[in-house]
Amino acid sequence: MNDPLGPLCSIGELARRTGLTVKAIRFYSDRGIVPPTGRSPAGYRLYGADALARLDLVRTLRELGVGLPDIRKVVARELSLSEVAAAHADALAVQIRTLRLRHAVLTAVARRDSDPEEMDLMHRLARLSEDERRRLIDDFLDSVFTGSAGSAGSGAFVGIRRSLTPELPDNPEPEQIAAWVELAELSQDGEFRALVRRLVEHLAAEQEGAHGGGPRPGLVPTVRELVGPVLAAGIEPGDGAAAPVVEALLAHDVHVLTRLEAVNDPRRERYTELLAVINGWPAPESVAPVLDWAVEALRVREPVGGVPGASDVPSRP
């Protein structure tokens, strides 16, 4: 009867074979998860071969975090193992996402030496649900597009809005979460919203065509094409050789300096960098060097106030 290879074994032998303590087996037995098959003449519990398999299953499920109520249903065949596994896989996914969010927030705080108020804001932004995240971004984009010059429902505006929309994936990487937190924080800046609003109106005008004259070449591609070669050649913005480039820029748009100062705002470029990380797009090429050159060349060519549309916005740091 006490032969470990026999049909029944004592609770002590079962403990030795499973590696569990007698106390643990008695606990599961008392709760009906691993009931004894019978009793010895002295009244001790005896277990059959199925008890070994049940205890192995119980230990595995417990290590995976499955609670006793669900384990009892599995061994009683009230729930299939696949149903329990699916439910707990979903629960673990939520826990993993929560840990990733916490990791992203703590990492950002460590890098930025944030104060308690900023840390609290970042933590709240990171914990937003998918619907809450969408509402936050929709509020930002609505403030940028609603009432803008032209029709907010036009093809140009729809395409621009789509290109500015972050889409955090269901299982984001830590860097995507950190980028989302920073982008969400940036989107709440009133000055940044006004900046993006101006840029959107300029871009839509280029795409739809000024005064019905057909689409104009984009300002940034134009600057890259004109300035790239002279920048690579080492020509300084104040050199005489820069004059033809400045004339070409002014021919593109009489208000080119004002527009370039807006486009050259570091927050705009940071938004595009964060957007690429969140959406899994290739990292955008920085246009800051050509924009810096163009802005300085235009200011050298015409002092502030000398060109229609010129402004006193400080140069890019």
Side-chain angles (χ1 to χ4, degrees), residues 9-317:
C9 64
S10 68
I11 193 171
E13 289 169 354
L14 190 58
R16 284 191 290 273
R17 294 176 67 177
T18 60
L20 296 171
T21 64
V22 169
K23 182 179 179 180
I25 296 174
R26 187 177 292 114
F27 174 83
Y28 294 131
S29 182
D30 290 343
R31 280 153 183 76
I33 295 174
V34 185
T37 303
R39 296 274 179 171
S40 71
Y44 295 110
R45 308 180 204 206
L46 297 175
Y47 296 88
D50 67 322
L52 185 62
R54 282 194 177 205
L55 285 170
D56 282 340
L57 175 60
V58 169
R59 179 164 53 187
T60 299
L61 293 176
R62 290 294 286 164
E63 288 175 352
L64 292 173
V66 180
L68 289 177
D70 283 340
I71 292 176
R72 186 182 295 110
K73 291 178 181 179
V74 169
V75 297
R77 299 185 184 278
E78 295 176 16
L79 279 177
S80 69
L81 189 58
S82 61
E83 289 175 323
V84 173
H88 281 270
D90 290 341
L92 283 174
V94 173
Q95 293 178 16
I96 290 170
R97 180 178 178 276
T98 299
L99 289 174
R100 283 180 169 177
L101 290 172
R102 292 175 181 172
H103 178 267
V105 170
L106 290 173
T107 300
V109 169
R111 289 174 178 171
R112 298 167 57 171
D113 192 24
S114 305
D115 59 36
E117 290 185 2
E118 185 179 19
M119 180 177 179
D120 179 63
L121 171 63
M122 295 172 65
H123 186 63
R124 285 189 284 110
L125 289 174
R127 291 174 63 87
L128 293 177
S129 68
E130 181 179 354
D131 288 341
E132 290 169 332
R133 291 198 308 270
R134 190 170 298 279
R135 285 197 296 270
L136 184 147
I137 294 301
D138 283 345
D139 174 69
F140 162 62
L141 294 176
D142 287 345
S143 73
V144 168
F145 287 89
T146 302
S148 295
S151 171
S154 68
F157 276 92
V158 170
I160 297 170
R161 178 167 181 144
R162 186 180 302 115
S163 71
L164 293 175
T165 303
E167 296 285 351
L168 193 66
D170 292 336
N171 296 300
E173 297 297 326
E175 58 269 20
Q176 290 177 302
I177 296 171
W180 153 255
V181 171
E182 185 177 345
L183 183 143
E185 188 178 12
L186 181 60
S187 73
Q188 303 308 297
D189 185 323
E191 291 184 1
F192 178 70
R193 291 187 176 204
L195 169 69
V196 176
R197 184 186 181 91
R198 293 197 303 272
L199 294 175
V200 165
E201 291 179 346
H202 293 156
L203 187 56
E206 289 176 349
Q207 292 188 6
E208 293 184 333
H211 309 296
R216 291 184 300 170
L219 177 60
V220 172
T222 298
V223 173
R224 185 187 290 115
E225 181 181 354
L226 292 172
V227 175
V230 294
L231 183 63
I235 297 174
E236 295 295 328
D239 289 352
V245 176
V246 173
E247 294 299 330
L249 291 172
L250 291 171
H252 180 274
D253 188 336
V254 69
H255 299 292
V256 65
L257 178 57
T258 299
R259 292 188 58 193
L260 284 178
E261 288 170 336
V263 174
N264 202 32
D265 190 299
R267 293 172 296 182
R268 179 208 61 83
E269 185 161 285
R270 184 56 181 162
Y271 186 93
T272 62
E273 293 171 348
L274 296 170
L275 191 64
V277 174
I278 296 168
N279 291 353
W281 296 342
E285 179 185 356
S286 175
V287 293
V290 294
L291 295 177
D292 287 341
W293 190 99
V295 168
E296 185 176 350
L298 285 164
R299 286 176 174 161
V300 170
R301 167 71 159 68
E302 293 286 349
V304 173
V307 175
S311 73
D312 58 356
V313 177
S315 61
R316 182 188 184 93

